[in-house]
Every structure is written in C-alpha cells, then in structure tokens.
Amino acid sequence: MIVKAPIDLELTQLSGQTSQPPWNRVGESFRQVIPVDGKPVIFDVRQSGESLDFSFSGDVSKSQALSRLKYIFDLDFDLDGFYRYLNDHAELAEMSEFCKGLRLFLAPDPFECVISSICSANNSIKRWTKSICDMKEKWGCEHQGYYMFPQSSVLANAYLDDEDEFNSSKIEDICMCRNNLMECGVGYRAPYMRRASEMFTLEMDLFEIQKMSYDEAFETILEVPGVGPKVADCILLYGFNFREAFPSDVWIKRIVSHLYFEGKDISVSKVRDFGMEEFGDMAGYVQLYMFHYARRSGLMAKLKK
C-alpha cells in the first residue's frame, strides 16, 4: 500500500537518532520485525516518490500495522507546516532545503532506545548501531531471520565481559567466551546497561514514563546509570515522543551559539533551556534539523575551526 506522507526514508533512518539502528536493507526495501500488540510482524518499507510503499506479514490487522508504521516514522506530523515554521524564523530558514523529508524515527520499543542512547554517548553512529544489532542477535527473539531487541529481564542477566562469563558458566576456555556485553563493543558502558536493565526489570515501570510530565520524566530517566541530560533528552524524544526535548551537546551548543548568540561561549545547559523555551513543541524537530543542516551545509566544518 502507498502511504502518502512526504519522507526521505533513507535520511530518516541514517540520521543517527538513538531510537534504534537502521532497518535491514533488502534490495530497495528496509525490513524489520516490529512488535505490534505483542505480536512479531515483519515490516517492509520502500521509497515511492516522496511517500512510502508499505507491506507487512503477521497476525495483525492492516489498521494495526499501519498505525504502528505511522508512529515509528511520525507520518502524521505536518512536515510542510514545519517547513513554514522554519521559514518564518530567519536563523532556521535554510534548514528545510538541506534536510527535506527528514522525520523523527521513533522507537518501537522504548527499552531499546534507553540502551541505544546509553550506547551512543561518546560514540560514533556506526559503532553504537553495530553494538545494538549485536545485542539483538545474541539475546533477542528471532522471527523469520530478523531479531527484536531483548527484554530488560534478559539483559539484566547478561554477562558483562569474558571474565564474568568464564567464571559464571561451564566454558573451559576463556577465549571461547562470546556471549557477553563487552563482546558487543560497548566498552565502559556495559555495567551501565546491565544496571539499567535491572532497574527497568525490578524498580521502574518503563511505560509509566509516558504518563509523566516532561520534567518528571526527565528527572526519572536521570536516575538511570550512564544517563546524563543529553542522553535523557534523546531517550525522551526518540523513545517516548516528548516533542519539547532539545538534546544538547557541544555540537548543538556551537550551532545555537553561531545562529543566535554571535558565537559567544554559552553552557550546554543554557542551550538546552533556550531550545526548549524558544521552540516549544517543535524543539525536538528543530534540534534534529539543526544538526543535519550543520553537517550538510558545511557549517559544522566551519565551527570545527
């Protein structure tokens, strides 16, 4: 079926949003197994002009699958209206030209977004996405050759490293230890990931976060090991669809400073506050477009100097 909503499917998936890795490319399509009302469903999407050509296989209705697709790719968001918003702000007016079709890529599984966002800290997009894919293949449920992200209770019992696996299993040669978090290339983040998994298994209800106010949700997520303000905002934006989140790091700081503060040195926390106050419910989209505009327009290279 053709879903008529302007989108650049490839750009959206490869934009580094920490909801999940890009889906598996199969020919001209992107495919992934997606949980829909607790059932595994294979989604297949491809670009069709400015819209999507969508099909699925699984024991759910067309309306259920379509609703899930629209959520993940944020297809109900008025992208043309957002471009008009950008054009009404002189500092933002060029961004739609460089990022046309870019949409939020929202998490089918908020827990995957938590772990992906922790994994992304001080990490390249290529490395963290590979790490998350490795976790899915090691501990996730397989369905028709595709893997869902493991539940928190599964990762809570994962081995941290080779030594932990060797000492806690019947493996006789430590060189044979492969079933641990460090083997997924997560480095120092492994203890954070396992503790976060324990917390969401035993102490926190992940799905209560969506019901909270933004400020309450932000403070709650900050209690998770390995989560600072930028990672918390990524989790809330990409994992829970809090549009007022404005994830801020040194690069967003430089971009905002250049566009709004004549290049003055301002703190990351003040940039976050500015973004949330200035852009309101558009803050998440503005941040997403700012970053990719800076990459594609050459602004980021200029700011590096």
Side-chain angles (χ1 to χ4, degrees):
M1 76 186 85
I2 300 298
V3 184
K4 293 187 177 180
I7 185 173
D8 185 323
L9 180 60
E10 183 171 49
L11 174 61
T12 295
Q13 293 191 82
L14 300 181
S15 56
Q17 299 178 57
T18 59
S19 56
Q20 61 204 293
W23 291 5
N24 299 276
R25 190 188 285 275
V26 182
E28 296 182 356
S29 294
F30 290 92
R31 290 181 193 163
Q32 187 53 278
V33 57
I34 299 297
V36 180
D37 294 339
K39 300 175 181 178
V41 180
I42 299 294
F43 279 29
D44 183 294
V45 291
R46 66 175 65 192
Q47 194 80 44
S48 177
E50 290 188 346
S51 300
L52 292 183
D53 188 351
F54 169 56
S55 61
F56 70 94
S57 61
D59 187 22
V60 297
S61 68
K62 177 180 175 180
S63 63
Q64 287 175 301
L66 185 58
S67 175
R68 200 69 175 137
L69 178 83
K70 286 184 174 181
Y71 175 80
I72 293 169
F73 290 102
D74 202 29
L75 297 179
D76 287 332
F77 179 71
D78 182 3
L79 205 56
D80 289 331
F82 177 61
Y83 294 158
R84 291 192 293 272
Y85 174 86
L86 295 178
N87 290 334
D88 287 341
H89 294 74
E91 299 87 355
L92 311 176
E94 290 187 350
M95 293 183 182
S96 58
E97 177 185 348
F98 288 90
C99 308
K100 189 176 181 181
L102 177 60
R103 289 183 179 269
L104 286 178
F105 187 35
L106 298 169
D109 176 3
F111 178 65
E112 179 176 5
C113 182
V114 171
I115 301 302
S116 295
S117 298
I118 292 173
C119 195
S120 73
N122 302 311
N123 208 353
S124 69
I125 295 172
K126 183 177 181 180
R127 289 187 64 185
W128 77 253
T129 54
K130 183 180 186 305
S131 293
I132 297 303
C133 290
D134 287 349
M135 288 183 207
K136 292 167 76 169
E137 292 189 14
K138 287 183 185 295
W139 297 293
C141 291
E142 184 269 343
H143 182 72
Q144 297 182 21
Y146 299 93
Y147 294 86
M148 292 187 287
F149 196 74
Q151 296 181 354
S152 63
S153 57
V154 174
L155 276 192
N157 292 295
Y159 301 122
L160 283 179
D161 52 27
D162 293 353
E163 185 176 353
D164 186 23
E165 184 177 355
F166 181 71
N167 292 333
S168 304
S169 68
K170 296 181 180 180
I171 296 176
E172 297 181 355
D173 185 349
I174 196 170
C175 294
M176 300 298 294
C177 294
R178 296 287 185 271
N179 197 36
N180 60 76
L181 285 166
M182 290 290 283
E183 278 293 312
C184 297
V186 301
Y188 70 89
R189 306 166 191 84
Y192 298 152
M193 292 176 175
R194 191 164 75 175
R195 178 59 186 137
S197 303
E198 292 170 352
M199 291 177 71
F200 285 113
T201 301
L202 302 172
E203 303 167 26
M204 288 185 180
D205 185 343
L206 196 67
F207 295 97
E208 286 297 312
I209 293 172
Q210 186 67 67
K211 303 174 185 177
M212 298 176 181
S213 68
Y214 176 82
D215 289 338
E216 184 182 3
F218 182 75
E219 293 301 324
T220 299
I221 290 293
L222 281 179
E223 296 174 14
V224 178
V227 174
K230 192 273 178 94
V231 170
D233 278 327
C234 286
I235 291 170
L236 294 181
L237 177 59
Y238 305 125
F240 294 95
N241 200 17
F242 281 91
R243 304 297 175 110
E244 62 267 55
F246 192 76
S248 300
D249 58 12
V250 65
W251 283 111
I252 293 298
K253 165 188 163 179
R254 291 175 182 175
I255 296 164
V256 169
S257 175
H258 172 78
L259 293 175
Y260 287 92
F261 296 99
E262 298 178 340
K264 294 177 182 177
D265 188 18
I266 53 178
S267 69
V268 170
S269 62
K270 287 185 177 180
V271 166
R272 175 180 179 268
D273 292 342
F274 168 81
M276 293 181 70
E277 293 171 7
E278 180 75 9
F279 308 120
D281 289 342
M282 295 289 191
Y285 260 96
V286 171
Q287 190 271 1
L288 181 63
Y289 270 60
M290 270 187 179
F291 184 75
H292 288 280
Y293 163 75
R295 290 177 65 191
R296 290 183 160 210
S297 69
L299 176 59
M300 190 170 287
K302 176 181 176 181
L303 295 177
K304 282 182 180 180
K305 299 177 182 178

